[in-house]
Amino acid sequence: MTGFVDPTKEDFARFKALPRGGPIWMLNLLRFRERAAYPPDHANADKGLSGAEAYRYYGRESAPVFQRVGGRQLWLAEPAMTLIGPPDEAWDLAFVAEYPDADAFIEMLRDPDYRVAVVHRQAAVADSRLIRMAPKPTDGLSFGD
């Protein structure tokens, strides 16, 4: 089975059709490949990197673009286990990234430097989830209020 690594054109169109004003949070759940799968002509193709190592390349190379569009990482964690949910849906890394608005996220994806960096993510990731979320105030209300 092939995992989810990149958005489909249809899903990206649905993303762009949502309201664009105000901050968005993107929940990232990542499962890495045992060995990175670079295109054969890529400089890292024969280095024998793990998926986690390839993802570190992605992080280093995409960070300037992420920061330039106003992105920031809200939290980062290494999931320990799934208490509720399919046991085979284990993740190696989870984080939430915040963008000033949806246009900033789109700008990042279209940036030429980001397009070079994303090859590392594609080589690194076996499966992922990327979930757009609308921030809510946490003013003492209980869940669901």
Side-chain angles (χ1 to χ4, degrees), residues 7 9 39 43 56 71 87 102 127 131 134:
K9 288 181 181 181
R56 283 193 283 282
D127 197 10
I131 302 167

Side-chain angles (χ1 to χ4, degrees), residues 59-125:
R60 284 191 297 271
E61 292 185 19
S62 66
V65 180
F66 178 64
Q67 293 167 351
R68 187 167 55 244
V69 301
R72 68 185 184 113
Q73 194 170 66
L74 298 180
W75 61 261
L76 170 72
E78 183 179 319
M81 67 158 291
T82 299
L83 184 60
I84 299 174
D88 62 329
E89 207 169 77
W91 305 104
D92 296 313
L93 189 65
F95 65 92
V96 171
E98 180 182 57
Y99 297 86
D101 52 38
D103 286 329
F105 179 78
I106 293 166
E107 179 184 341
M108 180 184 73
L109 297 183
R110 291 181 174 160
D111 185 280
D113 293 334
Y114 181 83
R115 289 179 179 251
V116 171
V118 79
V119 173
H120 298 293
R121 184 186 186 284
Q122 293 164 332
V125 174

